[in-house]
Amino acid sequence: MSKVLVIAEHDGTTLNGSTARAVSCAKELGLDAIDIAVLASDGCSVSEQAAAISGVNTVILVENPANEHAVSALLAPQIEALSDGYSHLLAPSTTFGKDLLPRIAAHLGAPQISDIMRVESARVFDRPVYAGNAIITVEAPEGIVIGTVRTASYPVAENGGSATIEKRELSVELPSHTQFVELSSGGGEGRPDLQAAATVVSGGRGVGSEENFSVIYGLADKIGAAVGASRAAVDAGFIPNDHQVGQTGKIIAPDLYMAFGISGAIQHLAGIKDAGTIVAVNKDADAPIFEVADFGLVGDLFQVIEELEAALG
Amino acid sequence: MKILVGVKRVVDYNVRIQVKPDGSGIATNGVKMSMNPFDEIAIEEALRIKEAGHAAEVIAVTMGPKVAQEQLRTALAMGADRAIHVETDDDIQPLTAARIFKALCDKESPKIVLLGKQAIDDDNSQTAQMLAAISHWPQATFASSITLDGDKATVIREVDAGLETLSVDLPAIISADLRLNEPRYVKLPDIMKAKRKTIDTFTLDELAVEPAPAIKILKTSPPAKRQAGIKVESVDELVAALKEKGLVK
Ligand SMILES: Cc1cc2nc3c(=O)[nH]c(=O)nc-3n(C[C@H](O)[C@H](O)[C@H](O)COP(=O)(O)OP(=O)(O)OC[C@H]3O[C@@H](n4cnc5c(N)ncnc54)[C@H](O)[C@@H]3O)c2cc1C
Ligand SMILES: Nc1ncnc2c1ncn2[C@@H]1O[C@H](COP(=O)(O)O)[C@@H](O)[C@H]1O
């Protein structure tokens, strides 16, 4: 019997949507069972959300006060203990999964396949390299298959399941060398989540300043969009880091992506390759972003946004 | 204390890479090669830690073919004290890279190993975490700030939800994100001085490193191309197009 264990990402109360995307990838493996591991300090509500994802057989819940914050050095030994008997281990390719999964893989002596974007067979996968400018088809060696799932490549698996929730006690020793201190979120509360939003309005260096970014927020709020940014905008302090889109930021796949004052460097484009429709507004008609935009408009972003706000009533 | 820093030779980030028509990889003939940008940031951070009086020696490490010494020379010109070249013509995947770093840690006993958050060729983002795992050391990945205090480091990490702060005991593995610092430019006299600095060379055998099970690359393909779009002349035209697709109300 071959089965896959998907590691749940959550914040203590809510299951992150990236988990259900990883489940969509897990379904394509065609194995006998899909289980989800929830490690939490109090995991009742998260494990219920995980159990509701269709196609999931068992949710394994490990409760431990040490799991209040997702610290990889503490989570890794617990998941290693759970991994026995699984042929596959998956986690979303978010900063959570990227930090955690290699730590587990190395202990298990297995290589990791990062950013799975397509399942060819249970051991053969496609993944992007060079900021998505090439795709490699790779085969995992014998033994457990370990991979992170490129969330922009998979839809959120639907609800409607009713998996069994199984509580597990583990007797593994946890290290004391790593202490969580704090998490400060970049703000943006109340706005849609960048990685889940259907529409994203993004600003680049062309926006010019932190104050000017209010026009980006204004348009986003008007149309119910999440707010993104280029690295240059984040580096310049216009907007916090968790808004960065691209090779080293977030990889997203909204239905509509609107880029204002972004030139379109390959590292930025790596983050929006799967967007449904790309709109670019830039005053430079030769900006590379126009090579990928479905609708390009040459002009001053401030004027365009003013007109857009008027036109969208 | 010593700081060990990873320096990987990769295709320069400005190059638009081409996939070879036979699917055997990407074209690298005559292509500009550079130090992985995240490693440049890692070197810079190590140098700043040393300049602040917290470290005695910065050691740059690369694994790869003979020519990878070019990138070690750059690291030495930036200010690294010496360098280690683990010479191999094989493709070094992260788990094997981690095992090599582990062997060097056993030799050098650094307090901090600073690697890049990811190598921009394979985009794996694994080596630091794997090294931390097999060393049983703490890891602080995607660092945008490092503060040292005795036997501990406080690291601010760039995570999806914002900024996370961890406190880790040393020795620790830290991986550098883009906003950790801005690397210095190398000046000509430094390049001259770097020529006199030592590069020690080892093979995997000499370090008694067993290569890890590897992922096999079956083929390399170009990505799906987006359909070329159109330029619209006005906001009205744009809004009409978006309304027709049902993307705005
Ligand atoms: C290793 C590495 C990783 C990277 N990762 C990322 C990443 O994840 N994400 C990312 O975004 N970048 C990333 N970058 C940086 C990337 O290479 C570019 O530097 C960056 O994307 C540029 O941001 P920008 O387009 O906002 O700025 P610029 O390139 O400076 O472009 C600004 C644009 O605004 C336009 N403009 C100015 N004023 C106006 C106006 N009033 N109205 C309309 N248009 C205007 C200009 O014509 C110009 O095209 C990375 C770089 C490296 C080396
Ligand atoms: N061949 C190598 N030589 C030196 N450092 C490496 C090598 N491979 C990986 N590294 C280090 O590990 C980091 C992350 O690489 P990766 O896990 O491949 O994305 C790089 O930024 C380097 O610091």
Side-chain angles (χ1 to χ4, degrees):
Chain A
M1 176 151 146
S2 52
K3 49 183 190 165
V4 48
L5 184 63
V6 176
I7 304 168
E9 173 170 2
H10 63 89
D11 62 4
T13 46
T14 311
L15 185 71
N16 189 297
S18 62
T19 312
R21 292 180 193 268
V23 169
S24 291
C25 174
K27 285 182 184 176
E28 294 190 354
L29 296 168
L31 306 179
D32 302 313
I34 300 175
D35 295 349
I36 296 185
V38 174
L39 277 69
S41 57
D42 167 2
C44 286
S45 117
V46 172
S47 53
E48 277 160 23
Q49 294 162 50
I53 301 174
S54 81
V56 176
N57 297 72
T58 309
V59 172
I60 299 166
L61 171 61
V62 179
E63 290 188 309
N64 185 331
N67 295 341
E68 184 172 356
H69 305 287
V71 176
S72 295
L74 306 182
L75 298 182
Q78 300 176 65
I79 292 163
E80 279 153 43
L82 295 178
S83 69
D84 218 26
Y86 286 93
S87 58
H88 290 67
L89 196 54
L90 294 181
S93 187
T94 52
T95 53
F96 164 80
K98 283 184 193 169
D99 186 56
L100 173 60
L101 209 61
R103 190 157 181 126
I104 299 166
H107 266 162
L108 298 176
Q112 173 184 303
I113 297 163
S114 294
D115 306 313
I116 294 172
M117 59 186 286
R118 223 171 94 102
V119 174
E120 304 261 359
S121 75
R123 309 195 77 85
V124 178
F125 308 91
D126 287 354
R127 64 168 299 255
V129 291
Y130 290 94
N133 290 298
I135 309 297
I136 53 175
T137 304
V138 297
E139 184 178 25
E142 226 159 84
I144 186 166
V145 178
I146 299 185
T148 58
V149 177
R150 185 175 180 275
T151 52
S153 300
Y154 290 92
V156 171
E158 278 169 31
N159 272 348
S162 54
T164 331
I165 300 177
E166 191 185 301
K167 271 202 186 189
R168 200 73 79 76
E169 299 278 339
L170 298 174
S171 57
V172 287
E173 211 180 308
L174 302 183
S176 60
H177 53 47
T178 306
Q179 238 80 51
F180 172 88
V181 180
E182 64 172 350
L183 176 67
S184 71
S185 98
E189 290 88 352
R191 291 202 175 83
D193 173 28
L194 183 53
Q195 274 157 310
T199 308
V200 173
V201 174
S202 229
R205 198 198 312 265
V207 176
S209 69
E210 190 180 354
E211 294 75 52
N212 287 355
F213 240 85
S214 62
V215 303
I216 300 288
Y217 286 112
L219 177 63
D221 290 346
K222 179 143 219 167
I223 60 176
V227 174
S230 70
R231 174 192 169 188
V234 176
D235 283 5
F238 301 171
I239 180 166
N241 67 288
D242 46 313
H243 294 270
Q244 181 176 315
V245 171
Q247 181 186 18
T248 50
K250 288 178 179 157
I251 313 262
I252 57 174
D255 297 333
L256 174 61
Y257 184 77
M258 304 180 85
F260 293 93
I262 293 178
S263 62
I266 51 173
Q267 294 87 5
H268 187 80
L269 302 184
I272 56 171
K273 285 207 152 77
D274 296 299
T277 298
I278 297 177
V279 170
V281 177
N282 196 303
K283 66 180 182 190
D284 173 9
D286 296 324
I289 186 99
F290 288 125
E291 290 165 30
V292 300
D294 299 281
F295 301 110
L297 180 53
V298 179
D300 176 65
L301 71 94
F302 299 102
Q303 197 187 328
V304 169
I305 289 180
E306 207 178 298
E307 291 180 32
L308 269 173
E309 294 229 10
L312 294 170
Chain B
M1 82 169 191
K2 294 181 193 172
I3 306 179
L4 220 58
V5 188
V7 169
K8 189 176 184 189
R9 174 183 170 91
V10 298
V11 172
D12 187 84
Y13 80 95
N14 276 313
V15 172
R16 285 203 175 199
I17 60 116
Q18 301 293 329
V19 174
K20 288 193 209 159
D22 66 358
S24 65
I26 66 139
T28 48
N29 258 351
V31 166
K32 183 178 178 204
M33 304 294 285
S34 300
M35 190 190 309
N36 182 37
F38 292 99
D39 296 347
E40 233 179 295
I41 295 169
I43 287 277
E44 174 65 35
E45 193 67 15
L47 295 173
R48 290 186 190 188
I49 292 171
K50 185 185 165 191
E51 284 157 9
H54 297 301
E57 200 179 26
V58 174
I59 308 163
V61 177
T62 199
M63 304 150 199
K66 190 131 214 137
V67 281
Q69 291 200 2
E70 284 172 30
Q71 279 63 45
L72 286 180
R73 288 288 166 206
T74 307
L76 293 169
M78 284 176 75
D81 298 286
R82 62 187 166 94
I84 297 174
H85 178 205
V86 179
E87 196 176 335
T88 168
D89 287 328
D90 297 339
D91 167 40
I92 297 289
Q93 294 185 3
L95 188 52
T96 301
R99 288 182 181 179
I100 295 171
F101 276 116
K102 169 77 167 66
L104 295 173
C105 286
D106 292 344
K107 250 181 146 55
E108 299 282 353
S109 309
K111 281 280 190 196
I112 298 175
V113 182
L114 257 164
L115 304 184
K117 137 179 172 174
Q118 75 196 66
I120 60 159
D121 48 2
D122 58 33
D123 282 335
N124 272 320
S125 196
Q126 300 175 7
T127 307
Q129 299 87 311
M130 289 183 157
L131 172 60
I134 58 179
S135 310
H136 301 278
W137 287 0
Q139 70 188 46
T141 53
F142 324 144
S144 65
S145 152
I146 300 172
T147 314
L148 295 181
D149 181 13
D151 261 351
K152 285 184 190 295
T154 303
V155 179
I156 301 179
R157 309 177 53 230
E158 296 210 358
V159 296
D160 289 338
L163 296 172
E164 182 192 78
T165 309
L166 286 183
S167 166
V168 295
D169 295 349
L170 302 183
I173 315 293
I174 302 176
S175 81
D177 211 324
L178 288 171
R179 278 171 282 276
L180 185 55
N181 59 52
E182 259 189 63
R184 66 196 63 188
Y185 285 103
V186 177
K187 294 187 262 354
L188 194 62
D190 299 326
I191 298 174
M192 302 311 291
K193 257 193 278 173
K195 291 200 170 127
R196 292 196 299 270
K197 293 183 181 172
T198 330
I199 298 181
D200 290 316
T201 304
F202 298 99
T203 61
L204 265 68
D205 277 346
E206 283 167 344
L207 294 172
V209 171
E210 176 99 15
I215 287 162
K216 196 160 131 201
I217 301 178
L218 303 179
K219 68 166 194 279
T220 305
S221 341
K225 265 227 155 81
R226 287 188 73 95
Q227 294 275 324
I230 56 161
K231 284 239 173 78
V232 292
E233 296 301 326
S234 68
V235 168
D236 287 344
E237 202 184 319
L238 175 61
V239 170
L242 294 180
K243 280 193 173 156
E244 196 187 308
K245 288 190 145 200
L247 291 167
V248 294
K249 283 198 257 339

